[in-house]
Amino acid sequence: MSRNILKTELSILERQFPRTHGVFQMISTSSEELVCQFIDIKHKKHTFQCNLSPSYPRILPLWTSDTDHPFVLALVEDLNASDEVSVGASHPLLFKMRHLITRMCGQFGVRVPEVVAELLSLASSAQVEESPSEDEGQENDYDLSDQDDDDDNYDEPGLFEEDCDSGNDDDHDRDKMDDKGKAVLDRIRMTTHKDYLKGGSASGSIRASDRLMRELSDIYKSDSYKKGIFSVELIDDNLYNWYIKLYKVDPDSPLAADIRKLKEKEGQDYVLLHMSFENTFPYTPPFLRVVKPFMSGGYVLAGGAICMELLTPQGWSSVYAIESLILQISATFVKGKGRIQFGQSSKSQYTLATAQHAYKSLVKIHKENGWFTPPKDEG
């Protein structure tokens, strides 16, 4: 069972490598990510982050590090390699962790802790001791509610597994969607799955596609979608490219009045947003921009890019939900006193290239200088 595998691994790592350990420390652990650090002989700390897919262990962890040390960067690439040994390991996380610690110790001349060689045997012993009935009565220290309990098909890919399993609550949840939402999910699931079976010709990654399907499903079931606050449309049925129509903002705001005026003048009653995702989603943020109408204020930059910390690598977290992000964008437009600029010429309209350039400049500037947090009395 994937739930038991991850729970066992996290428990062992926390117990064997507490924050007081002299060589390797677990800083934080959860069912979605863990942060650990290696301490070299000069007491310098090298931090690693491990992001865990809901489909773990079918999909191996994604490793990253903020360091610029050449060896560490090369090690991260090595950890992300899907070699046959790590794929077939009964406890992939511990297998990779053992490799990480051993390599770091060898590079920096630190003695390898004896327990490192025992990690896999500790996991095997722990699982033998656990029985299904005992496990059901134990308190779960980790929120693994999105994990699959059925691990019988270990060798099969995890593509859209949460949406396809008939033995869970998804059939009931589908009743919360309208027919349009159901049709979109079924169509995307079928075409993308076929593409992967043909040899991976589909765009994106399995990890990102799984998450995007769940995000889209959650949106179709959400009250904000059903109440017409916004709508979502996949561009050419591409799961990685969305059009979002924002219909409703704070009704007392000048922007809401502008949207009503826009409908009277041009027949358009929404702000059109374009959201695109990389293969590395949800561990990298989506790119979001305003397409039309032309706006001033509202933290909207050249090309329609949006100045928000959570849309940058520094401010993004893999736990953020897209529905919440859309609602946050709406609030940001109002907070920033966004207004629609009527009567703009075609030369003033937004372009993707300009938005991407503005976004890259934004990320660079704030990475160097940080983000300014206004006083509370300014919102």
Side-chain angles (χ1 to χ4, degrees):
M1 284 181 155
S2 57
R3 184 202 304 263
N4 290 339
I5 290 175
L6 182 57
K7 180 180 178 181
T8 298
E9 291 178 307
L10 294 178
S11 177
I12 290 173
L13 291 172
E14 287 183 324
R15 186 167 61 251
Q16 300 300 330
F17 302 106
R19 288 182 176 231
T20 55
H21 197 281
V23 176
F24 194 74
Q25 303 171 347
M26 301 305 301
I27 305 303
S28 64
T29 59
S30 74
S31 62
E32 291 193 342
E33 66 178 15
L34 61 85
V35 178
C36 53
Q37 61 184 15
F38 175 86
I39 305 173
D40 64 25
I41 56 177
K42 296 182 179 179
H43 303 290
K44 181 178 180 181
K45 298 177 180 179
H46 304 269
T47 303
F48 295 83
Q49 183 178 32
C50 175
N51 296 108
L52 297 157
S53 165
S55 302
Y56 177 85
R58 292 186 181 94
I59 297 180
L60 296 180
L62 176 66
W63 295 84
T64 58
S65 178
D66 294 333
T67 184
D68 56 358
H69 194 288
F71 176 81
V72 175
L73 294 177
L75 178 57
V76 167
E77 292 186 8
D78 192 23
L79 291 170
N80 286 324
S82 299
D83 55 277
E84 293 182 1
V85 178
S86 59
V87 171
S90 57
H91 295 89
L93 178 59
L94 293 183
F95 182 89
K96 292 289 188 178
M97 197 66 75
R98 184 181 66 177
H99 182 67
L100 186 161
I101 300 173
T102 302
R103 291 287 306 278
M104 289 295 287
C105 286
Q107 172 66 22
F108 293 98
V110 178
R111 182 179 178 182
V112 180
E114 294 182 1
V115 71
V116 172
E118 303 172 0
L119 289 177
L120 295 179
S121 59
L122 287 173
S124 299
S125 300
Q127 291 221 299
V128 169
E129 293 173 0
E130 292 181 357
S131 66
S133 59
E134 290 176 326
D135 183 66
E136 289 174 4
Q138 292 177 352
E139 181 178 354
N140 189 355
D141 294 331
Y142 309 99
D143 181 14
L144 303 178
S145 57
D146 291 334
Q147 295 270 349
D148 250 352
D149 287 344
D150 184 3
D151 206 31
D152 295 334
N153 300 321
Y154 182 85
D155 293 326
E156 294 183 4
L159 185 62
F160 307 151
E161 60 185 82
E162 285 86 355
D163 298 290
C164 296
D165 292 342
S166 59
N168 55 26
D169 294 331
D170 287 338
D171 291 334
H172 172 70
D173 287 345
R174 280 177 62 88
D175 293 337
K176 300 177 182 179
M177 303 181 200
D178 58 19
D179 291 339
K180 180 181 178 181
K182 294 177 185 177
V184 171
L185 291 175
D186 290 342
R187 185 169 64 252
I188 298 302
R189 183 186 302 115
M190 181 179 298
T191 56
T192 309
H193 196 89
K194 286 182 178 178
D195 286 340
Y196 274 111
L197 293 178
K198 289 179 181 178
S201 60
S203 62
S205 65
I206 293 179
R207 186 196 304 267
S209 297
D210 273 341
R211 175 62 178 268
L212 286 171
M213 283 292 284
R214 285 189 286 119
E215 293 286 351
L216 195 57
S217 176
D218 289 344
I219 285 175
Y220 287 144
K221 292 179 288 189
S222 69
D223 289 337
S224 54
Y225 175 81
K226 293 176 181 178
K227 291 178 180 179
I229 295 176
F230 67 87
S231 67
V232 171
E233 175 189 345
L234 303 189
I235 303 174
D236 296 327
D237 273 353
N238 186 338
L239 191 57
Y240 290 75
N241 265 299
W242 299 11
Y243 273 148
I244 299 165
K245 293 180 179 179
L246 184 60
Y247 292 96
K248 299 179 182 179
V249 297
D250 182 347
D252 298 324
S253 67
L255 181 57
D258 285 349
I259 292 177
R260 291 192 293 269
K261 181 179 177 181
L262 183 67
K263 182 178 181 180
E264 295 174 359
K265 292 175 65 68
E266 303 179 20
Q268 177 181 326
D269 58 348
Y270 55 84
V271 174
L272 181 63
L273 308 174
H274 174 217
M275 184 180 290
S276 58
F277 304 86
E278 298 291 337
N279 298 349
T280 48
F281 180 81
Y283 306 118
T284 54
F287 175 68
L288 185 66
R289 68 185 181 102
V290 177
V291 178
K292 62 179 183 180
F294 194 81
M295 294 177 60
S296 64
Y299 301 101
V300 179
L301 307 176
I306 300 172
C307 181
M308 286 183 65
E309 183 178 12
L310 63 79
L311 291 175
T312 67
Q314 303 99 304
W316 177 255
S317 170
S318 61
V319 302
Y320 290 159
I322 298 303
E323 179 201 359
S324 299
L325 173 60
I326 295 171
L327 297 178
Q328 181 63 45
I329 294 296
S330 173
T332 297
F333 286 161
V334 173
K335 179 182 177 181
K337 299 179 174 59
R339 299 298 301 269
I340 294 175
Q341 297 298 296
F342 295 95
Q344 294 291 325
S345 66
S346 58
K347 294 182 179 180
S348 302
Q349 300 309 300
Y350 298 130
T351 64
L352 175 60
T354 306
Q356 290 174 331
H357 184 269
Y359 172 77
K360 291 178 181 178
S361 299
L362 168 74
V363 171
K364 181 179 180 180
I365 291 173
H366 287 292
K367 185 176 182 180
E368 296 174 352
N369 303 309
W371 288 81
F372 170 70
T373 302
K376 291 184 178 180
D377 58 358
E378 295 183 19

